[in-house]
Amino acid sequence: SSRGRPGASRALKSSMVNPRMSSPTAPYEPHIIEPKWQRIWRERRQFEAREDPQKPKFYLLEMLPYASGDLHVGHARNYILGDVISRFVRRRGFNVIHPIGWDAFGLPAENAAIQRGIAPAAWTQANIANMKRQVQKLGVAYDWSREIDTSSPGYYRWTQWLFLLMHRRGLAYKEAAPVNWCPTCKTVLANEQAEGGVCWRCGSRVERRFLEQWFLRITAYADKLLDGLAELDGWPERVKTMQRNWIGRSDGVTFSFDVEGENERIAVFTTRIDTIYGATFLALAPEHPLVAKLVAGRPQSAAVHAFAADLADKSELDRTQLMEKQGVFSGAYAVHPLTGIRVPIWITNYVLAGYGGGAVMGVPAHDQRDLEFACKYGLDVTAVIAPAARDAGAGAADKAYVDDGVLVNSAEFDGLTSPQARRAIAEELIERGIGQPAVHYKLRDWLVSRQRYWGAPIPFIVCPLDGLVPVPADLLPVLLPDALIAGTSGNPLSNVSDFVNTKCPRCGGPAKRETDTMDTFMCSSWYFLRYLSPHARQAPYDVEAARYWMPVDQYIGGIEHAVLHLMYARFFYKVLAEEGLVPGSEPFARLFNQGMVLGDNHEKMSKSHGNVVGIDATADTYGIDALRVFEMFAGPPESDFPWSTESIAGATRMLSRVWRLVLSNADALKIKAADAMSAGSDGRLSSADEKALRYSVHSKIEHITRELAERMHVNTSVAAIMTLLNDLEAFAANDAASSSAAFSEGLRTLLSLLAPFAPHLSEELWERIGGRGSIHDLPWPQADSVALRSDFVPVVVQVNGKRRGVVDVPPGSAEDDVFARAESVPTVRSQLAGKTVRRRIFLADKLLNIVAS
């Protein structure tokens, strides 16, 4: 069988009609068939889910789509992949829930509405209506009764409720802090949304500002988020690695340096306490609380304050990676805790207030950035770690030695290995009362405030007497005002007096509402729970429904959300688990990151690249089932592949072949289904051809079932269906086909296996051949062990020395018979098209290499 790799897409291009097939009386018309069955499925409410304790559940979910307006074929791949799996799993006896909704708040909608002079709500609802129409056109088996919209008051009421729950648990707080500010979007960004120093939405350079903001204390769950990754066997390893790196746990020691002449100590954190004897300076962040006191009355004071002011608007990326290492001497000295040596205190740009308390011991010999700083300002460099096989100080003068080794120049600790020294020196500092074990994290608390209109209002009131007061739950939701204020300077909500001015729920006096709105990731951190009871009025979701359906069994979405949505959703779920509101501690059991459909120029599809292929135009030209088959076949689902007009046309031809084959063999299909499905179960068949056909049918059942269940390899599954189609077409030329139970079984199995990929065509043909009910409600076919008894051997087929497929033939088959069988394999046929076979190299029962030019 062909393997479905990118090169195998050429098989679709050359998919030709078998000339021996008779012409059907009715043409294949996807533009008529597809809307018909989409309407029928909706009218039947065929894919709506209900809790059923008698059946095993399966929660399948694609990541919540953002209401951006118009979908293209790249978006379609995600939804089609999920639909194939949902239809497959449902037919294997699972109670499947497969919902969809809309991530409707956010900056893009607001910015687009500003440009058009309309309300963000109107823009968003128009986008949702168009996207819903397009998704329904794809024929995806969604449970539309569970549709949600995160911008509806019925939804964000509960986002606000969850924010108050976080506050009650001490996890939501407001404080002044340096924040990431996007000058284009005019709002604050979380660290995760400003990675690389640019806004994740618009790509603008991020600035630093000092503002009062709301945070969620996700750092309190750092270890739980780390430990939970060990439970996620169904997640890609690279996603787990990205989350581990983002959390960035560091185990080390916190200890103190006395400040000379002052009754102060400076605490520092290090993971390399074995290098402490190499500390030749202290580096402080300009924001460190002791800086002002250290420089007060000193000649260096003005220079230090000017240096700090110049860094105030610089991003973390600027200071830690992009800027040259810079600093100003404070004029003050610290005292080394183990040697008593005076150590100069410098104020630097590369130390941040948010990590390690804003103070770092400078060890130039064993830290590259410390070395660069020391060389620039002429500070001492003392090597205290030597490679085990070399003398102390060996190595390049401009490169720090950062590996473990053996201690030198370290008093009584000389000769210890680095691991031994880390334990011994830590114990010494603890015994002296100036050190203790500590853990630090790269992860920062989640900044959730946004100075924009189009978001869920933060449910707090500012009272002159009572301070910050939460809005009582019975007064939720705090509604967004219906006003054209998006894009106004400052915080838009602060300009609506009817919204801002209110009464304090505690004292009843005049007060003002909080005017920040929430980060849109707040809405998407719990949406998968709202799907379970989307119309609930007394709670965000029904807890019993969550206990039945959760966790999500298969989650599908892009790798770009590895440290944004996925981290936040896990945090929310752990909080809810501690409240007893959800089962387990992780929301998503299995995760799959799908690849992209690229433009024909091999770039990501986007309007700016001019390579977008629309769903509507594609459906009108080729049909939706052809789009589905092409996108599932074109390559492994985790890989990117370029759009190909030739290949999707080949998919249409392949489906036309199925149409003709089924409708041209009405006589064979008159055989009772029970007889057809049990054909040859006693091991006796009327001919070797029938036995070979039945082996082909059941080997495809076994192969496709395994590929979909274990690896989601839809591409190899479609390749197997194509090979089965070839086998059935070849058998149809046999005079005995019309009376063959094996052939009848094969035709029905072809439709059954094809149904998840081409649901409209399969449903139409099933109806036309007199099948009962919906083909999508039939049990998934089971491979017959009798049919799979190995009376055949696999022969590898190569073209010009490259493997192009495998054919199953009776042992001892002649070369001409194997060659004839090989010519029916799509990937072989495509390689031979337009070429002349020069010779054949044949090893019986093993290999056929076709040399062609």
Side-chain angles (χ1 to χ4, degrees):
S1 65
S2 60
R3 297 304 185 210
R5 296 191 173 93
S9 64
R10 289 190 290 269
L12 286 179
K13 299 177 188 177
S14 61
S15 185
M16 303 297 292
V17 178
N18 188 328
R20 293 174 292 183
M21 298 301 302
S22 59
S23 299
T25 56
Y28 172 45
E29 298 177 306
H31 62 285
I32 295 175
I33 294 169
E34 290 166 356
K36 166 191 169 181
W37 284 107
Q38 290 162 16
R39 183 181 66 255
I40 291 172
W41 294 333
R42 287 195 298 271
E43 290 172 353
R44 289 176 179 171
R45 304 174 72 175
Q46 186 163 337
F47 304 113
E48 292 185 10
R50 299 286 183 273
E51 290 82 16
D52 183 354
Q54 304 305 312
K55 298 176 72 175
K57 66 90 180 178
F58 194 91
Y59 190 171
L60 177 69
L61 194 60
E62 294 88 57
M63 289 186 182
L64 185 65
Y66 188 75
S68 56
D70 200 32
L71 298 176
H72 56 66
V73 295
H75 299 114
R77 189 185 193 193
N78 190 31
Y79 309 128
I80 295 169
L81 175 61
D83 189 48
V84 168
I85 301 304
S86 77
R87 291 175 183 272
F88 166 69
V89 172
R90 179 179 284 110
R91 290 176 57 198
R92 296 189 79 200
F94 285 84
N95 186 24
V96 175
I97 183 173
H98 191 202
I100 191 172
W102 314 103
D103 192 2
F105 274 139
L107 290 173
E110 184 168 353
N111 289 341
I114 292 168
Q115 294 170 4
R116 292 161 176 78
I118 61 176
W123 171 253
T124 300
Q125 291 308 310
N127 286 350
I128 288 175
N130 186 54
M131 291 175 68
K132 181 174 181 177
R133 177 190 63 80
Q134 290 180 308
V135 170
Q136 288 179 330
K137 179 176 277 193
L138 292 173
V140 181
Y142 283 128
D143 181 349
W144 287 101
S145 71
R146 297 175 183 269
E147 180 183 9
I148 61 171
D149 168 1
T150 65
S151 68
S152 69
Y155 184 92
Y156 71 74
R157 166 191 181 184
W158 298 111
T159 302
Q160 293 171 340
W161 185 90
L162 290 165
F163 186 90
L164 296 176
L165 171 65
M166 294 282 187
H167 185 262
R168 288 196 302 273
R169 292 179 59 91
L171 298 174
Y173 65 95
K174 189 175 187 181
E175 71 175 21
V179 296
N180 305 302
W181 176 266
C182 175
T184 300
C185 296
K186 296 182 175 62
T187 192
V188 168
L189 305 173
N191 285 338
E192 293 86 345
Q193 296 163 338
E195 191 172 7
V198 297
C199 174
W200 76 294
R201 279 290 188 194
C202 71
S204 298
R205 291 288 304 164
V206 170
E207 299 173 356
R208 296 291 279 174
R209 293 193 178 184
F210 203 77
L211 299 172
E212 285 268 336
Q213 298 289 293
W214 282 95
F215 295 84
L216 291 185
R217 209 179 303 275
I218 192 173
T219 52
Y221 286 74
D223 281 332
K224 292 177 182 177
L225 290 167
L226 270 176
D227 295 343
L229 294 172
E231 303 174 24
L232 300 175
D233 295 333
W235 279 40
E237 194 57 41
R238 68 168 177 162
V239 174
K240 294 193 285 185
T241 297
M242 290 168 73
Q243 290 211 359
R244 288 189 189 98
N245 292 342
W246 191 262
I247 295 169
R249 177 183 168 119
S250 299
D251 290 272
V253 177
T254 295
F255 65 100
S256 300
F257 286 78
D258 288 331
V259 179
E260 185 180 70
E262 301 282 352
N263 187 26
E264 297 287 354
R265 283 184 168 183
I266 297 175
V268 300
F269 169 79
T270 181
T271 60
R272 291 298 305 271
I273 195 65
D274 53 320
T275 67
I276 188 172
Y277 281 89
T280 60
F281 67 96
L282 283 186
L284 269 59
E287 303 87 358
H288 193 286
L290 279 182
V291 168
K293 184 174 183 179
L294 290 176
V295 302
R298 298 181 187 273
Q300 294 85 355
S301 178
V304 168
H305 288 302
F307 180 73
D310 186 56
L311 292 174
D313 64 346
K314 299 296 188 294
S315 70
E316 288 188 10
L317 180 76
D318 286 328
R319 288 175 56 176
T320 58
Q321 297 183 42
L322 301 182
M323 296 178 68
E324 182 184 9
K325 306 296 181 289
Q326 296 175 339
V328 179
F329 179 44
S330 69
Y333 288 83
V335 179
H336 193 291
L338 295 181
T339 68
I341 295 174
R342 298 172 79 222
V343 177
I345 302 173
W346 284 72
I347 314 303
T348 70
N349 62 351
Y350 68 89
V351 176
L352 304 175
Y355 183 82
V360 170
M361 68 171 186
V363 186
H366 305 294
D367 184 283
Q368 188 61 34
R369 63 179 187 170
D370 290 347
L371 180 60
E372 293 172 11
F373 187 82
C375 291
K376 180 179 178 69
Y377 293 102
L379 302 176
D380 292 340
V381 178
T382 302
V384 294
I385 306 290
R390 288 186 284 170
D391 295 331
D398 62 347
K399 188 173 182 181
Y401 180 74
V402 299
D403 296 328
D404 282 356
V406 177
L407 268 65
V408 296
N409 301 322
S410 298
E412 68 268 28
F413 302 103
D414 281 356
L416 296 180
T417 64
S418 289
Q420 292 169 337
R422 283 194 281 272
R423 291 190 295 271
I425 296 174
E427 291 171 359
E428 176 71 15
L429 292 171
I430 293 169
E431 188 175 328
R432 295 191 186 192
I434 56 173
Q436 58 185 4
V439 177
H440 282 238
Y441 301 89
K442 177 186 172 186
L443 181 69
R444 299 290 175 266
D445 281 343
W446 177 10
L447 195 162
V448 297
S449 294
R450 297 294 179 268
Q451 293 67 46
R452 298 297 290 231
Y453 164 72
W454 194 233
I458 293 178
F460 269 80
I461 290 169
V462 183
C463 174
L465 297 177
D466 296 306
L468 280 172
V469 180
V471 174
D474 60 354
L475 296 181
L476 298 178
V478 177
L479 293 169
L480 278 175
D482 185 13
L484 283 173
I485 58 171
T488 55
S489 60
N491 192 321
L493 289 177
S494 65
N495 297 310
V496 185
S497 59
D498 289 346
F499 176 82
V500 173
N501 297 314
T502 186
K503 291 184 178 180
C504 174
R506 286 184 183 166
C507 69
K512 295 185 180 298
R513 290 193 187 279
E514 170 64 71
T515 55
D516 282 358
T517 53
M518 295 187 211
D519 179 7
T520 184
F521 280 102
M522 287 286 296
C523 300
S524 60
S525 292
W526 70 281
Y527 78 98
F528 46 90
L529 293 166
R530 184 64 177 173
Y531 279 142
L532 307 183
S533 36
H535 310 296
R537 292 179 174 273
Q538 303 304 315
Y541 58 90
D542 181 82
V543 174
E544 290 305 314
R547 287 175 181 156
Y548 175 79
W549 288 113
M550 291 301 293
V552 173
D553 295 280
Q554 181 66 67
Y555 203 27
I556 303 173
I559 189 67
E560 66 271 17
H561 293 299
V563 293
L564 287 165
H565 161 65
L566 288 171
M567 184 85 76
Y568 298 150
R570 295 181 60 224
F571 164 54
F572 259 65
Y573 199 82
K574 290 181 183 301
V575 173
L576 293 171
E578 291 175 355
E579 289 282 313
L581 299 177
V582 291
S585 60
E586 290 289 342
F588 312 121
R590 296 177 65 192
L591 174 68
F592 189 88
N593 300 128
Q594 85 284 354
M596 292 188 295
V597 180
L598 307 175
D600 56 11
N601 56 1
H602 290 252
E603 294 182 335
K604 181 179 179 180
M605 280 194 183
S606 71
K607 292 180 181 178
S608 63
H609 291 153
N611 61 357
V612 169
V613 179
I615 288 175
D616 292 324
T618 303
D620 293 343
T621 304
Y622 304 104
I624 285 296
D625 279 347
L627 170 64
R628 292 172 62 110
V629 168
F630 163 63
E631 292 207 352
M632 296 300 95
F633 176 73
E638 67 273 16
S639 301
D640 300 341
F641 68 86
W643 179 259
S644 170
T645 301
E646 291 182 50
S647 292
I648 190 173
T652 302
R653 291 194 295 271
M654 176 252 199
L655 294 177
S656 296
R657 288 169 55 199
V658 174
W659 180 268
R660 284 188 288 270
L661 176 68
V662 173
L663 295 185
S664 297
N665 288 280
D667 290 343
L669 287 163
K670 291 177 182 178
I671 298 173
K672 292 181 180 180
D675 294 338
M677 295 304 180
S678 63
S681 60
D682 61 356
R684 296 189 300 275
L685 286 170
S686 60
S687 72
D689 285 345
E690 278 194 308
K691 194 168 186 180
L693 177 63
R694 199 154 190 272
Y695 176 84
S696 175
V697 169
H698 286 270
S699 65
K700 302 308 181 294
I701 294 172
E702 182 181 55
H703 173 77
I704 293 170
T705 302
R706 183 176 62 250
E707 290 291 85
L708 294 181
E710 297 178 5
R711 303 195 301 167
M712 290 179 61
H713 272 205
V714 289
N715 57 318
T716 56
S717 298
V718 174
I721 291 170
M722 292 168 60
T723 304
L724 177 58
L725 173 60
N726 294 334
D727 292 344
L728 289 167
E729 285 179 333
F731 192 92
N734 191 317
D735 293 337
S738 61
S739 60
S740 169
F743 182 57
S744 179
E745 176 195 31
L747 291 174
R748 287 180 169 87
T749 301
L750 175 67
L751 291 182
S752 187
L753 296 175
L754 182 62
F757 300 92
H760 311 88
L761 170 85
S762 304
E763 190 82 282
E764 178 71 16
L765 287 174
W766 184 250
E767 180 184 66
R768 290 191 181 214
I769 68 174
R772 294 183 179 180
S774 169
I775 195 169
H776 303 295
D777 291 334
L778 289 181
W780 186 254
Q782 301 292 313
D784 185 344
S785 60
V786 174
L788 290 173
R789 288 175 184 167
S790 186
D791 290 332
F792 301 89
V793 293
V795 175
V796 173
V797 180
Q798 297 177 339
V799 177
N800 294 330
K802 292 186 177 181
R803 178 176 172 140
R804 298 299 181 183
V806 176
V807 293
D808 298 307
V809 298
S813 292
E815 178 181 333
D816 287 345
D817 293 335
V818 176
F819 178 72
R821 178 72 183 84
E823 284 186 301
S824 69
V825 175
T827 46
V828 175
R829 187 169 62 236
S830 66
Q831 291 297 312
L832 297 179
K835 297 177 183 177
T836 300
V837 176
R838 300 299 181 186
R839 63 192 178 102
R840 302 188 307 225
I841 302 169
F842 181 64
L843 298 177
D845 295 344
K846 293 182 179 179
L847 173 72
L848 172 64
N849 181 24
I850 305 168
V851 180
S853 63

